[in-house]
Amino acid sequence: EIVSEVQRHYEYYYQAKDRAAQQSILEVITPKWRSPLEQAFLWIGGWRPSMVFHLLYAEAAQLIVPELAEFMEKNIDIPIFAPLSSTQLGQISECQIKTEQEEEVLSYRMAILQQDFADQPFVNL
């Protein structure tokens, strides 16, 4: 009985999370209520804002795949099946570059902090 209740709880949780993702995926991925400590743990654990771009590209590729077979069969010269315009792709690319540059700066600063912390003696004699 307890296992069934826990299962129902998780089903409800993931259904609610799915509904929230349908409304705003960024709010699900990076909610505003996270504390700086939680954000730091995510960063240390490997989560980077640029991962959103990887998810976007993966989603765009999934939208293209069903039309790809038709594109190949009809031997069309110009791919008209792209879900994003060239302007949109350019804007996304610019945003991705800026985001990755900021990530590099933060990673560098984090490395300096970690080195400074590691260089401190445990006990002052």
Side-chain angles (χ1 to χ4, degrees):
E1 184 177 308
I2 293 174
V3 172
S4 296
E5 187 159 337
V6 169
Q7 236 178 344
R8 281 193 302 275
H9 172 74
Y10 275 101
E11 286 174 10
Y12 174 77
Y13 170 75
Y14 283 106
Q15 288 170 354
K17 197 170 181 177
D18 183 53
R19 286 190 303 273
Q22 297 297 324
Q23 292 177 357
S24 175
I25 188 64
L26 289 179
E27 287 293 324
V28 174
I29 294 173
T30 56
K32 295 175 186 171
W33 49 261
R34 268 199 201 127
S35 71
L37 181 62
E38 288 173 306
Q39 296 287 30
F41 280 133
L42 286 171
W43 186 272
I44 291 167
W47 172 257
R48 301 290 186 268
S50 62
M51 292 180 131
V52 172
F53 296 103
H54 299 286
L55 293 172
L56 176 66
Y57 293 140
E59 179 67 21
Q62 285 184 347
L63 294 172
I64 290 172
V65 168
E67 297 178 20
L68 190 58
E70 182 181 344
F71 170 72
M72 298 299 282
E73 285 176 12
K74 294 184 178 179
N75 198 17
I76 302 170
D77 291 335
I78 303 170
I80 57 172
F81 54 83
L84 299 172
S85 70
S86 60
T87 303
Q88 289 171 320
L89 287 172
Q91 291 170 337
I92 291 169
S93 179
E94 287 175 23
C95 188
Q96 180 180 9
I97 290 168
K98 288 178 185 177
T99 301
E100 289 175 349
Q101 288 171 344
E102 290 294 324
E103 285 177 0
E104 287 178 23
V105 169
L106 286 173
S107 291
Y108 178 75
R109 289 173 57 196
M110 179 71 88
I112 290 172
L113 288 172
Q114 288 175 343
Q115 185 64 40
D116 289 348
F117 184 75
D119 287 343
Q120 294 179 3
F122 285 133
V123 178
N124 288 331
L125 297 177

